[in-house]
Amino acid sequence: MDIWHVRGGNRLFGSCRVQGSKNASLPILAASAVLPVRSVLRNVPRLKDVDAALKILSHLGCGIDRGENELVIDSSSFTGAEIPRELMAEMRSSVIFMGALLARCGEAKLSLPGGCQLGKRPIDLHLSALRQMGAEITEEGRDIFCRARKLHGADIDLRFPSVGATENIMLAACAADGVTTIHGAAREPEVVSLRDYLAGIGVDIRGAGSSTITINGTDRKEETEYTIPSDRIVASTLACACAAAGGRIILSGVDADHFSTVLHFLNEAGCDIINFNDIVEISSAGKLRAPGHIITAPYPGFPTDAQPILMAALLRSQGTTHITETIFENRYRQVSELRRMGGDISVSGTEAVLRGVEKLHGGTLTAPDLRGGAAMIVAGLQAEGETVVVDAGHIARGYESFDDTLCALGADVWIEHK
Ligand code: UD1
């Protein structure tokens, strides 16, 4: 188990290249199994969730070669369509292998995925879309059996723009006869990344990034290369850390458009933000003000993953901030821990009200999930004394060498491995 120690009070200065995106990498790793190709992937972050996806690919018979800068996946040999329960339980994104396996093998045997306990997190949209494409799916307890003699294209209406369901349909549609159209698709940058990777292996996909995506067959290639874009939630976390602690940091390799809603609120809270090319500079006096009502929404709205982190950054802000969480039912799990540091937050259903306080104090906290854990680090950076975050491995699921990154910016943090 990792135990984070954070001594608050240091301002952050310096520059940092933001790691590759977790949420772009995971569906692309599943996609690498859709066709028998060799994929050369760059900028794949070293994360527990990536390791979990690689374990699944290796179990399915793919060759994996991880070098310093490249990850090569050779899926020309493929030995099975079954993913054991213990591998499925390691992360939520394992569900994306359902579409990949159906496309590759015409069958998939897996179980309900693991991941952060952010709410009910059903997969009804995934299952109903795959059924519309000709898959027969039976569920027995936590086990799911899918079979399709031949998948066919379909017109699929998503009642909610689920990121995972959109990605699963895109993968299954690679092997379907005819055109698949997704109406009400997720518009997240990670969906666009998946399209870019799939285009590299010869899949004809139009409209990714808009609400209507069409997938229109495959002209298979033998090999592709793809560079994973930067992680917009890690960039948001570092920006929030600087905003809360004070200082000036430069984030490089980022696309500011992809986390512009987070930057907007930091700017409203009093930070100076400068953006040029792939660089964003954040300056903060370390004294923020309430930035207005934060409402999470599907992209291009404010990302639910950044909500706990921005909440933590605003704990000492002047005034009252209202937050409405619209994506997950259980996304305020960080609140009880932040209150233990002196934070003044009340929650009623989807609404949270944060009243800024003068001071936060350290304490021993438990990370409830990935972003909740990151929120505690951001809170600790601005607290008096030492904050100890008992983290059951959550932060390492999404942040690569985060302790080193923060230390290089001047923070006083270290991890005790127990
Ligand atoms: C992805 C991201 C996650 C982010 C989330 C929302 C990855 C690996 N994870 O998760 O970090 O927080 O998008 O931006 O990319 N829903 C249903 N039925 C379904 C599927 C989803 O009701 O079949 C609901 C969920 O319960 C949730 C909402 O839709 O309330 C959003 O879920 P979804 O967009 O699917 O999130 P994930 O793909 O799991």
Side-chain angles (χ1 to χ4, degrees), residues 23 26 45 51 65 68 79 173 194 205 213 222 269-270 274 313 322-323 338 358 369 372 401 405 414:
N23 288 354
L26 298 175
D51 291 341
D65 186 4
E68 188 58 34
T79 49
L194 180 60
I205 300 189
I213 302 178
E222 300 298 322
I274 301 173
H322 292 263
I323 302 175
L338 296 177
E358 266 301 306
D369 50 53
S401 309
T405 304
W414 73 98

Side-chain angles (χ1 to χ4, degrees), residues 22-23 26-27 92-93 118 120-126 159-165 167 188 190 304-305 327-329 331 371:
K22 167 177 90 74
N23 288 354
L26 298 175
R92 169 80 189 170
S93 277
L118 305 178
K120 295 196 274 293
R121 303 193 86 169
I123 56 167
D124 55 317
L125 296 172
H126 303 240
R159 69 172 152 72
F160 181 86
S162 157
V163 178
E167 294 167 343
E188 268 69 0
E190 294 76 23
T304 174
D305 286 358
I327 307 294
F328 290 112
E329 304 88 350
R331 194 110 220 206
R371 306 304 170 186

Side-chain angles (χ1 to χ4, degrees), residues 244-264:
R248 179 188 309 156
I249 65 168
I250 293 173
L251 304 175
S252 63
V254 295
D255 186 335
D257 287 348
H258 291 171
F259 61 118
S260 60
T261 48
V262 177
L263 293 175
H264 163 79

